[in-house]
Amino acid sequence: MELGVSGTLLLAVLLSLVLYFFTWRRNLKKKNLPPGPPPLPLLGSLLDINTKEVHMSLMKLGETYGPVFTVYLSSTPAVVLIGYDCVKEALIDNGDVFSMRGHLEFTYLITKGYGVLITNGERWKQMRRFSLSTLRNFGMGKRSIEERIQEEARYITEEIEKIGGAPFDPTHLLTLFVSNIICFIVFGERFDYEDEKFMTILNLLKEMFLLMSSSLGMLINVFPKIISLLPGPHQKIFTNLKKLKYFVAESLENHKATLDPNCPRDLIDCFLVKMEEEKSNPITEFHFDNLFGTVLDLFFAGTETLSRTLQYGLIYLLKYPDVESKIHEEMDRVIGQNQCPSVEDRVQMPYTDAVIHEIQRFADIAPLGLPHKTGQDTTFRGYNIPKDTTVVTILASVLKDPKYFKNPKQFDPTNFLNDNGSFRKNESFTPFSLGKRSCVGESLARMELFLFFTTILQKFNLKSALAPEDIEITPEPNTNGVMPRTYEMYVTPR
Ligand code: HEM
Ligand SMILES: *[C@@H]1O[C@H](CO)[C@@H](O)[C@H](O)[C@H]1NC(C)=O
Ligand SMILES: *[C@@H]1O[C@H](CO)[C@@H](O)[C@H](O)[C@H]1NC(C)=O
């Protein structure tokens, strides 16, 4: 058979591809990166990873390649860390090297390199310090935010009372609860649950969040340039963003008009004070873009995470009624029926505290954590990892590490209880990750979880139309482990 010119060309192209492929792989070996599945040109490890169950695929690869291994996003390596010992060795023992934020293309599209979540260097340092201190003033430790959460939890119980004994899906109420707390911190006001502006903001955010955790979102992280140019549902991100920006800008103007620098009311006021302080600094980080970026970060990082944890918490309690009745019993003993639950009660409620820890451990709502990257060339467990390599800490493998929890795949509050019933910490409890880059909202989140569950359980017995053994508590399949299944519940007054 005659090959012809095009045939010869094709053959040449194929041959050089094959050659290129083998040299590439040999070069990879020389670099002494951690081991991993052999990558394909262009596709990298894409065929080894199910984009709808990424953490499961990675944990499976860990069984073959060990707790430190390399996968390829197209031709770019990413190092994956599995289990508490390994993740802690990176984020704590080598925190200086491993605390840079890795590239999050999708989030980059949204916050454009501003804010706290995806930034590095001086900008990150300033915005992180600002967020932490603002959350502390309005939230952490101080009474006011606690009162605000208590009040919001009471509004939620009122809403549930309005529903009467009819079955309902709690998702929407939980979103209202957690979003209103962030609104209070950022804008200094809570919204009525029917407020039109509030509904608009929530919908805009929700659409963006859904896109982010879809496989389209995962693909955008791998092939950002191509996919962001294509038409498709993800183009909505940009139109939604514009609307949100308008909303924040408008609120900023209102704040400016009524600011009392000695008595900041919320995050925007605090930001305005900083802007004023640094107005003669030409390279100040306190400008509108960083304000907008930080506000978006708090909404992104602080609403879905919490509302999903609450969603899971409620379904676990429906599944395990004996756990609920033990909380009831402890609560009646410590708080009683009339007093409003407060964070101070927590130390006297080890069982409830243990259940909330177990809810977070088991719900595992950020199974991949957020990507980090190395700030310099480094060796880790005998392997070389070059500067700027993406590092993925599989928090799922830490929260369910069999070395630290006796039945990691079972919901079991005794993971956090001593034999005598006192609360027991466990270092492998890391839903907020570890080290310099760990969750900024941890204290706020823990306060909300405690006050939400105690306020609801003080008033109600939780019921499900399904028998406990028929309730499915695992996440919705093919959602990267982040979406709880939808369910209905109803309540009876206590
Ligand atoms: C149950 C609730 C929450 C969970 C499980 C959670 C979990 C996490 C995780 C795993 C990270 C990544 C840490 C890392 O890179 O190693 C993170 C970062 C972050 N979280 Fe949370 N979070 C929660 C609630 C919140 C809340 C309520 C807020 C804000 C009000 C918040 C704000 C942030 C911010 C700003 C970051 C980025 C920190 C940085 O890059 O320096 N989170 N969170
Ligand atoms: C309960 O047991 C733990 C260790 O198992 C111990 O540290 C603690 O003091 C004990 N608490 C009480 C009240 O006995
Ligand atoms: C966590 O649990 C493991 C296994 O039960 C135990 O060895 C470890 O000491 C616990 N950590 C803490 C801080 O109690």
Side-chain angles (χ1 to χ4, degrees):
M1 198 180 78
E2 208 180 312
L3 267 175
V5 179
S6 55
T8 318
L9 252 177
L10 188 67
L11 196 67
V13 168
L14 274 178
L15 261 175
S16 41
L17 265 183
V18 169
L19 264 174
Y20 169 76
F21 179 47
F22 280 104
T23 1
W24 181 55
R25 274 206 195 167
R26 200 168 42 236
N27 281 341
L28 284 184
K29 280 226 179 77
K30 266 197 238 146
K31 288 184 187 157
N32 188 31
L33 275 159
L40 297 170
L42 206 63
L43 292 181
S45 313
L46 205 59
L47 301 185
D48 292 300
I49 298 171
N50 176 352
T51 53
K52 291 181 173 146
E53 296 284 3
V54 174
H55 67 293
M56 303 278 225
S57 311
L58 293 178
M59 276 157 78
K60 195 164 252 152
L61 289 173
E63 288 167 17
T64 312
Y65 297 100
V68 189
F69 62 91
T70 310
V71 292
Y72 286 81
L73 305 174
S74 190
S75 59
T76 315
V79 169
V80 181
L81 306 179
I82 305 256
Y84 174 74
D85 294 344
C86 194
V87 169
K88 181 230 168 207
E89 195 176 324
L91 299 189
I92 303 281
D93 305 344
N94 296 289
D96 287 338
V97 179
F98 286 94
S99 297
M100 302 268 287
R101 173 65 69 224
H103 205 56
L104 267 170
E105 194 58 52
F106 202 102
T107 322
Y108 193 86
L109 283 178
I110 294 170
T111 49
K112 303 279 190 281
Y114 297 104
V116 54
L117 195 76
I118 60 159
T119 48
N120 282 310
E122 190 58 26
R123 176 167 298 163
W124 167 70
K125 206 189 260 172
Q126 297 274 350
M127 290 305 117
R128 182 163 173 110
R129 192 185 299 146
F130 173 78
S131 315
L132 277 171
S133 86
T134 311
L135 286 172
R136 212 171 1 249
N137 289 342
F138 292 98
M140 308 190 171
K142 271 260 176 98
R143 204 112 201 116
S144 60
I145 189 75
E146 178 175 6
E147 282 164 11
R148 199 57 270 298
I149 300 172
Q150 289 168 327
E151 182 196 5
E152 203 63 45
R154 281 198 298 274
Y155 279 118
I156 295 291
T157 55
E158 280 170 22
E159 289 298 304
I160 295 177
E161 266 157 7
K162 277 188 214 156
I163 298 170
F168 65 100
D169 175 348
T171 315
H172 183 59
L173 283 181
L174 299 177
T175 307
L176 297 176
F177 174 70
V178 300
S179 312
N180 240 347
I181 304 291
I182 304 278
C183 280
F184 172 70
I185 291 170
V186 172
F187 304 114
E189 57 177 327
R190 78 170 290 273
F191 293 94
D192 201 70
Y193 293 152
E194 270 88 46
D195 189 284
E196 218 169 284
K197 209 182 211 174
F198 187 45
M199 288 302 110
T200 314
I201 302 178
L202 294 191
N203 280 329
L204 295 174
L205 289 166
K206 186 175 163 184
E207 281 174 358
M208 286 157 76
F209 211 94
L210 279 178
L211 277 169
M212 212 147 67
S213 49
S214 67
S215 34
L216 186 65
M218 294 280 160
L219 280 176
I220 291 181
N221 279 324
V222 186
F223 304 111
K225 302 253 158 48
I226 308 172
I227 294 192
S228 59
L229 289 175
L230 296 177
H234 55 288
Q235 293 300 338
K236 243 202 154 119
I237 296 164
F238 306 108
T239 42
N240 284 11
L241 210 59
K242 226 181 250 163
K243 293 181 198 161
L244 285 169
K245 197 170 214 161
Y246 175 75
F247 182 78
V248 175
E250 185 189 49
S251 184
L252 185 70
E253 288 311 310
N254 293 338
H255 276 72
K256 263 187 202 154
T258 52
L259 177 70
D260 172 1
N262 298 314
C263 187
R265 297 155 291 187
D266 48 36
L267 183 138
I268 293 185
D269 272 0
C270 291
F271 204 93
L272 280 170
V273 170
K274 280 293 211 179
M275 276 169 122
E276 185 59 26
E277 267 172 33
E278 298 205 357
K279 71 169 178 236
S280 55
N281 175 1
I283 54 163
T284 178
E285 294 295 349
F286 290 90
H287 47 68
F288 180 77
D289 288 333
N290 267 332
L291 171 65
F292 184 57
T294 303
V295 167
L296 283 178
D297 286 344
L298 296 185
F299 272 100
F300 272 108
T303 53
E304 288 289 324
T305 44
L306 255 170
S307 68
R308 282 180 196 175
T309 307
L310 295 171
Q311 245 175 299
Y312 275 121
L314 290 172
I315 201 173
Y316 300 159
L317 294 175
L318 295 170
K319 174 89 179 172
Y320 302 105
D322 55 315
V323 172
E324 185 192 351
S325 44
K326 281 191 194 149
I327 297 180
H328 274 147
E329 185 204 298
E330 185 174 66
M331 191 141 61
D332 290 346
R333 195 157 29 81
V334 177
I335 309 178
Q337 288 278 4
N338 302 317
Q339 216 182 324
C340 175
S342 72
V343 175
E344 266 175 27
D345 299 319
R346 181 158 54 197
V347 285
Q348 294 185 66
M349 298 177 71
Y351 186 79
T352 306
D353 200 10
V355 171
I356 292 172
H357 277 71
E358 184 64 358
I359 287 170
Q360 284 209 273
R361 185 193 75 81
F362 199 72
D364 175 23
I365 52 111
L368 295 171
L370 288 178
H372 287 222
K373 73 177 178 189
T374 44
Q376 62 194 69
D377 292 348
T378 189
T379 44
F380 185 74
R381 295 197 167 187
Y383 301 113
N384 292 342
I385 307 179
K387 181 174 189 289
D388 287 334
T389 305
T390 300
V391 176
V392 182
T393 54
I394 311 288
L395 295 183
S397 71
V398 181
L399 292 171
K400 295 182 181 163
D401 190 331
K403 187 172 162 195
Y404 289 87
F405 298 104
K406 53 185 189 309
N407 291 313
K409 291 185 176 156
Q410 216 121 52
F411 181 81
D412 181 3
T414 67
N415 277 320
F416 297 98
L417 289 169
N418 289 313
D419 291 340
N420 59 15
S422 63
F423 181 79
R424 177 173 63 173
K425 278 193 187 165
N426 197 298
E427 60 223 291
S428 202
F429 175 77
T430 59
F432 301 105
S433 188
L434 289 166
K436 294 187 168 72
R437 205 77 215 208
S438 67
C439 180
V440 162
E442 172 169 354
S443 311
L444 175 66
R446 295 197 50 217
M447 201 186 267
E448 288 189 53
L449 289 171
F450 182 78
L451 293 175
F452 178 84
F453 284 116
T454 48
T455 306
I456 295 294
L457 290 173
Q458 187 181 40
K459 287 270 178 299
F460 305 119
N461 297 301
L462 311 181
K463 304 279 182 193
S464 165
L466 292 174
E469 55 275 21
D470 296 330
I471 297 176
E472 185 53 76
I473 57 175
T474 55
E476 190 68 50
N478 297 323
T479 61
N480 280 308
V482 298
M483 292 296 281
R485 291 175 197 257
T486 47
Y487 60 91
E488 292 205 323
M489 56 180 278
Y490 64 98
V491 299
T492 56
R494 294 191 69 214

